[in-house]
Amino acid sequence: MDANQGEKAYLLHLLDQIVQTLGSALPSSVEIVLHDLERLPNSIVSVSGDVTHRAIGDPATDVLLQAIVSGHADSMVGYQTRLPDGRELRSSTLIVRDSRGE
C-alpha cells in the first residue's frame, strides 16, 4: 500500500468513527452519510441514522453528483432537499480532502 492509499484508509476509518459517534449522540431525526468519491456511483461507505433509508453501497445523491460533475465539489451548509416521498430536509455536505488535495 502506498502512502496515499494509507492516508486514505486512515481518513475513511477516522471519518467512519466520527459518523458513528455523532450518530449515536444526535437525535433520530438526523442522518449522517459518508461517501468515498472514488467509489462513485455507489459511494456510501458509512451511515448512521435512517431518515432516507440509505445503506452502505448505495449511490450518491443527485446534489452531490451534480456538484462533482460541475467541478464545484465544495462544502455546502443548510441547503434544502426533498425526498421522493415529499419530505423536505435541511442538508449539509462537507468535502474532506487528503493532504494532496484529493
Side-chain angles (χ1 to χ4, degrees):
M1 179 183 310
D2 68 21
N4 192 48
Q5 286 300 101
E7 180 183 9
K8 177 186 168 186
Y10 172 77
L11 284 172
L12 285 173
H13 175 73
L14 178 63
L15 292 168
D16 175 53
Q17 289 179 319
I18 292 169
V19 165
Q20 299 309 317
T21 301
L22 284 175
S24 66
L26 294 171
S28 62
S29 61
V30 173
E31 179 179 87
I32 304 168
V33 180
L34 175 62
H35 294 267
D36 178 354
L37 299 182
E38 288 185 1
R39 297 183 187 195
L40 288 171
N42 299 328
S43 60
I44 295 178
V45 295
S46 180
V47 179
S48 181
D50 193 31
V51 175
T52 64
H53 311 297
R54 291 184 287 176
I56 292 172
D58 281 353
T61 62
D62 290 343
V63 171
L64 181 56
L65 291 173
Q66 289 170 358
I68 292 165
V69 168
S70 72
H72 299 324
D74 296 315
S75 298
M76 302 174 279
V77 178
Y79 59 93
Q80 296 293 317
T81 56
R82 183 182 301 268
L83 296 177
D85 66 9
R87 288 181 292 158
E88 290 188 10
L89 304 176
R90 186 177 67 207
S91 300
S92 294
T93 298
L94 172 66
I95 302 295
V96 177
R97 299 181 193 283
D98 64 17
S99 61
R100 295 172 23 173
E102 296 178 6

